[in-house]
Amino acid sequence: MLVLFETAAGYAIFKVLDESKLQQVDSLYKEFETPEKANKIVKLKHFEKFQDTTEALAAATALVEGKIGKSLKKALKKVVAKEAHEQLAISDAKLGGVIKEKLDLSCVHNTAVAELMRCIRSQMESLITGLPPREISAMSLGLAHSLSRYKLKFSPDKVDTMIVQAISLLDDLDKELNNYIMRCREWYGWHFPELGKVVTDNLAYCKTVRKIGDRTNVSSSDLSDLLPEEIEAEVKLAAEISMGTEVSEQDIGNIRHLCDQVIEITDYRAQLYDYLKNRMMAIAPNLTVMVGELVGARLISHAGSLLNLAKHPASTVQILGAEKALFRALKTRKDTPKYGLIYHASLVGQTTAKNKGKISRMLAAKASLAIRYDALGEDTNAEMGAENRAKLEARLRQLEEKGIRRISGTGKAMAKSDKYQHKSEVRMYDPSGDSTIPSTSKKRKFEEVEEEEEEEEPVTPVVKMKKPKKEPVTEEEEDDD
């Protein structure tokens, strides 16, 4: 049996001298405790050394992908072809299938071979002659660095790193812009406070401040390229009756410099947004069509990469970004959140409050399909995303019309659905079970109380008033008349 052993310095092919030792897998390591014992089991047949790091990197890359490199093919043809009847022990079963197919050599891979490889590695310095230990360690380190750089450069998972960095930078720029603009308005407001109420747009405000400087220059300044005519007239009128304090030229110079910074950052933000939009359409076109480039980029950033996001189910995509609210709801046994980052998508935003939960659930289901298609599919078109978005818009119109359309008859009872309420499974302890006195029901007690009240009340007999009887007139009285 021949053994193919891969090292950072080259390919080594060993001849197994005593194959009976391989049957005792558990005790095989004892045969490699010393270099002398190891040389009795295996013997170096051929060593194909790499010329430089580039060749070593090409060979290692081929092995990772399960292919036969040029140097390996050369070594196998030179040595193993002479002994074609021998079996070739290899450490990778996938590579064995390729060797069997290409060179028609029988390969073997089992637990005994794996243990033999480990034993050879432990005595590699003594078995492979002509390679000092320092040289082997230097070659291993160089190959490891080269292979890491190669994987990092060509890994498909690392392409979306640009999206993660761009959306993070975009959020940071928004925060800094807000701070700068707030500081600029407050600072210049001491000199010309009325301008902040007249000009509400932040960029237009900074450009106006940079152009006019001192408020006394407003009347002589032409602001038509920055502001509409009516607002420009209002600014000039406010400058004449302004209640602001006077400032020096040095103060105006610093305020103008701050305005320059705000304008530059705003321009860079617009450029960065265009870059992010293009990158999202290139990497995740279907997700971009479904939820938009900003929401899609935030979902990818939150998950870490597009591939990690593709591994999440639709229910996780729906509440991604609302983890704090989810765990708080689970802890307090309240209703869990219905949406997270997906709430900012345009489809959810244009829905009424009653249907936001339904639309966010359906959008998350379709978005998870789009994410998996973008991450694992070969096509780069956005047809599936556009088709699913049209279905969601049709469903949204149906839900909106359902609330307006009147339902009558039995359809009303069928359409009625009870609101889901979370019922707690926790049962409280009932202390009434501790008493040994037999308890009577409330109904029974109430009847007994009524009977006692009836007994206590004196029974008064009802006396009927008799009508006075008319006395009969006697005959004697009649005769006297």
Side-chain angles (χ1 to χ4, degrees):
M1 179 187 286
L2 299 175
V3 180
L4 175 63
F5 186 75
E6 305 108 5
T7 67
Y11 292 109
I13 297 176
F14 293 96
K15 171 78 173 176
V16 180
L17 301 177
D18 190 357
E19 295 186 16
S20 61
K21 300 288 185 181
L22 297 179
Q23 297 175 359
Q24 303 170 358
V25 179
D26 296 334
S27 60
L28 185 61
Y29 69 95
K30 296 179 181 178
E31 304 297 333
F32 286 83
E33 288 179 346
T34 60
E36 291 78 13
K37 287 184 176 181
N39 284 313
K40 293 179 181 178
I41 303 297
V42 292
K43 180 184 177 183
L44 182 65
K45 189 86 173 173
H46 178 74
F47 184 73
E48 187 74 23
K49 189 177 179 180
F50 297 134
Q51 299 297 325
D52 52 10
T53 311
T54 307
E55 187 181 353
L57 177 61
T61 308
L63 284 176
V64 169
E65 295 174 356
K67 299 177 182 177
I68 304 178
K70 289 183 179 179
S71 54
L72 177 58
K73 202 171 187 179
K74 181 180 176 182
L76 289 176
K77 281 185 177 180
K78 187 182 293 184
V79 179
V80 183
K82 296 177 182 178
E83 302 180 17
H85 61 282
E86 294 278 358
Q87 282 187 329
L88 181 65
I90 53 164
S91 58
D92 187 9
K94 187 178 178 182
L95 180 65
V98 178
I99 293 173
K100 172 79 173 171
E101 182 181 350
K102 298 285 185 182
L103 301 175
D104 196 19
L105 295 173
S106 61
C107 301
V108 60
H109 172 74
N110 49 35
T111 54
V113 171
E115 182 68 16
L116 179 62
M117 294 285 185
R118 192 184 67 81
C119 295
I120 292 174
R121 190 174 290 108
S122 64
Q123 296 291 339
M124 183 173 62
E125 298 171 3
S126 60
L127 291 172
I128 301 176
T129 55
L131 279 178
R134 289 174 61 89
E135 189 176 346
I136 292 179
S137 62
M139 288 180 175
S140 300
L141 184 62
L143 179 61
H145 286 175
S146 302
L147 191 60
S148 299
R149 281 195 296 271
Y150 175 82
K151 282 188 173 181
L152 188 66
K153 185 177 179 182
F154 294 102
S155 174
D157 303 341
K158 298 298 176 183
V159 177
D160 46 23
T161 308
M162 305 303 164
I163 291 176
V164 176
Q165 298 297 331
I167 191 65
S168 301
L169 180 57
L170 202 65
D171 292 338
D172 293 341
L173 286 178
D174 287 336
K175 291 178 184 176
E176 292 300 321
L177 269 175
N178 286 334
N179 290 333
Y180 281 13
I181 290 166
M182 185 174 62
R183 181 65 55 205
C184 182
R185 282 179 175 271
E186 187 177 350
W187 197 353
Y188 193 72
W190 285 99
H191 177 58
F192 190 5
E194 291 81 7
L195 183 65
K197 295 179 181 178
V198 176
V199 183
T200 54
D201 184 64
N202 293 325
L203 185 59
Y205 181 87
C206 292
K207 288 182 177 179
T208 306
V209 171
R210 184 180 65 172
K211 189 165 186 177
I212 63 176
D214 198 300
R215 70 166 182 262
T216 56
N217 302 328
V218 175
S219 58
S220 61
S221 300
D222 182 21
L223 303 176
S224 58
D225 56 337
L226 301 177
L227 303 173
E229 290 182 7
E230 58 273 10
I231 295 180
E232 182 184 0
E234 197 174 345
V235 168
K236 290 183 178 180
L237 180 62
E240 295 176 0
I241 57 172
S242 177
M243 300 291 290
T245 183
E246 297 295 330
V247 292
S248 64
E249 286 295 328
Q250 189 176 4
D251 297 331
I252 292 294
N254 281 301
I255 294 172
R256 278 179 163 171
H257 184 65
L258 178 59
C259 292
D260 290 335
Q261 294 290 321
V262 171
I263 294 167
E264 287 178 11
I265 294 175
T266 305
D267 293 340
Y268 175 62
R269 189 201 177 281
Q271 177 190 345
L272 184 66
Y273 178 71
D274 291 337
Y275 163 76
L276 178 64
K277 190 189 298 184
N278 295 332
R279 293 297 296 169
M280 281 296 294
M281 283 304 296
I283 293 172
N286 292 287
L287 177 62
T288 306
V289 171
M290 292 291 297
V291 298
E293 53 274 345
L294 285 178
V295 179
R298 285 195 174 93
L299 287 172
I300 293 173
S301 175
H302 198 83
S305 68
L306 185 63
L307 195 61
N308 288 347
L309 186 61
K311 294 175 184 177
H312 289 320
S315 57
T316 305
V317 174
Q318 181 181 349
I319 58 170
L320 207 64
E323 290 84 3
K324 192 175 179 181
L326 172 67
F327 292 120
R328 184 173 64 243
L330 292 175
K331 187 177 180 181
T332 57
R333 296 182 181 275
K334 299 289 178 63
D335 293 339
T336 53
K338 294 180 180 178
Y339 27 68
L341 289 169
I342 210 169
Y343 178 80
H344 300 286
S346 59
L347 278 171
V348 181
Q350 67 191 18
T351 316
T352 56
K354 186 177 71 173
N355 294 324
K356 281 188 189 297
K358 289 182 180 179
I359 288 296
S360 62
R361 185 178 66 248
M362 291 185 284
L363 180 61
K366 297 296 183 185
S368 65
L369 291 176
I371 292 162
R372 290 165 193 167
Y373 188 80
D374 289 332
L376 308 171
E378 296 179 358
D379 299 336
T380 56
N381 54 13
E383 293 178 1
M384 191 188 80
E387 183 181 346
N388 288 335
R389 186 180 175 89
K391 289 180 182 177
L392 283 176
E393 288 174 350
R395 176 63 177 156
L396 175 59
R397 286 194 299 271
Q398 183 183 357
L399 287 174
E400 296 295 335
E401 292 170 1
K402 187 178 179 182
I404 300 170
R405 191 171 65 245
R406 186 175 177 182
I407 301 174
S408 61
T410 56
K412 190 173 183 180
M414 292 170 63
K416 190 183 292 183
S417 59
D418 296 329
K419 183 183 177 182
Y420 173 76
Q421 291 182 347
H422 180 75
K423 296 180 181 178
S424 175
E425 296 293 331
V426 179
R427 296 183 179 180
M428 302 298 293
Y429 176 72
D430 187 13
S432 62
D434 296 341
S435 175
T436 56
I437 301 173
S439 62
T440 57
S441 63
K442 290 183 179 179
K443 186 176 180 183
R444 180 64 182 168
K445 285 182 179 179
F446 183 73
E447 292 175 354
E448 289 177 358
V449 169
E450 282 187 343
E451 289 176 2
E452 288 175 2
E453 288 178 355
E454 289 177 359
E455 290 174 1
E456 289 175 1
E457 291 178 358
V459 180
T460 57
V462 179
V463 179
K464 294 182 179 180
M465 297 297 291
K466 293 183 178 180
K467 294 181 180 179
K469 293 182 179 180
K470 292 182 179 181
E471 293 182 0
V473 180
T474 59
E475 293 180 357
E476 296 177 355
E477 291 175 352
E478 290 178 356
D479 293 336
D480 291 335
D481 293 334

